[in-house]
Amino acid sequence: PGDFGCIPEEVDAAEGNSECFQKMFDYSMLQKRQIIILEAKTYYISKGLRINDYLIADLGGTTLIATDSINMISLNMNGSRWKGVLKNFRLNLNSVARSGIYGIHPEKFRITDGEIFGIGTLAAGIEIDKGFELFIDNVHFRGNRMNANGIILRTSDCHVSNVVLIDCQNG
């Protein structure tokens, strides 16, 4: 993230960090290159990030913290080929974001080895509409007990395994 101008640990950098992370994702999708973050840091973001093409991203334990009512990461994919992996991540909805990961039409994508927490009232850790062949495994969800949703799936042909829901009213 530092190579794209992201600044860790500063709330005031949230808007710039959103743009920097999106540039990093866009570059990786365009060039078909993996993202591998070697040092886990914490970054605030104020705008949602979009993944709409092939992406393999190992965020190395990096934490993203929402500062606004956003879908932190949106998956919008159409097509028949494998779309990639998001792994080794931490998303803090900070009781303000609408969702950690929102899938408009995800296809053939894996979400693994992550933690989604700070899920507020009526928010969702992962919310998926349509799509198919989404794999969610080894992800922990922590809500605030008041109508927090761990996973909302409005589609079929998805595989969910080895997930932990803590203080989430719905799974």
Side-chain angles (χ1 to χ4, degrees), residues 19-79:
E19 294 168 9
C20 296
F21 265 92
Q22 189 61 57
K23 285 179 186 175
M24 181 176 67
F25 283 2
D26 289 345
Y27 176 82
S28 178
M29 288 183 286
L30 181 65
Q31 299 295 322
K32 306 292 188 242
R33 300 193 120 174
Q34 291 186 28
I35 295 171
I36 300 174
I37 298 175
L38 300 175
E39 186 177 355
K41 293 184 180 180
T42 298
Y43 298 90
Y44 290 89
I45 61 170
S46 62
K47 297 177 185 170
L49 307 174
R50 297 170 317 283
I51 300 173
N52 55 15
D53 202 351
Y54 177 83
L55 176 74
I56 295 180
D58 181 341
L59 300 187
T62 293
T63 301
L64 299 177
I65 302 175
T67 62
D68 207 343
S69 179
I70 60 174
N71 296 318
M72 294 182 73
I73 297 177
S74 293
L75 306 174
N76 185 2
M77 304 154 177
N78 280 314

Side-chain angles (χ1 to χ4, degrees), residues 75 77-78 101-109 111 126-136 151-160 171:
L75 306 174
M77 304 154 177
N78 280 314
I101 298 174
Y102 179 75
I104 300 165
H105 201 285
E107 296 178 359
K108 300 178 182 276
F109 195 80
I111 300 167
I126 295 178
E127 183 174 0
I128 305 298
D129 287 325
K130 299 181 183 177
F132 61 90
E133 293 184 22
L134 180 69
F135 301 89
I136 303 167
I151 303 171
I152 298 173
L153 293 177
R154 294 185 190 94
T155 186
S156 62
D157 196 18
C158 293
H159 178 83
V160 179

Side-chain angles (χ1 to χ4, degrees), residues 89-92 113-117 138-142:
F89 62 90
R90 299 182 78 230
L91 301 179
N92 181 350
D113 301 333
E115 182 179 8
I116 301 175
F117 59 103
N138 196 29
V139 179
H140 290 203
F141 299 86
R142 285 197 324 253

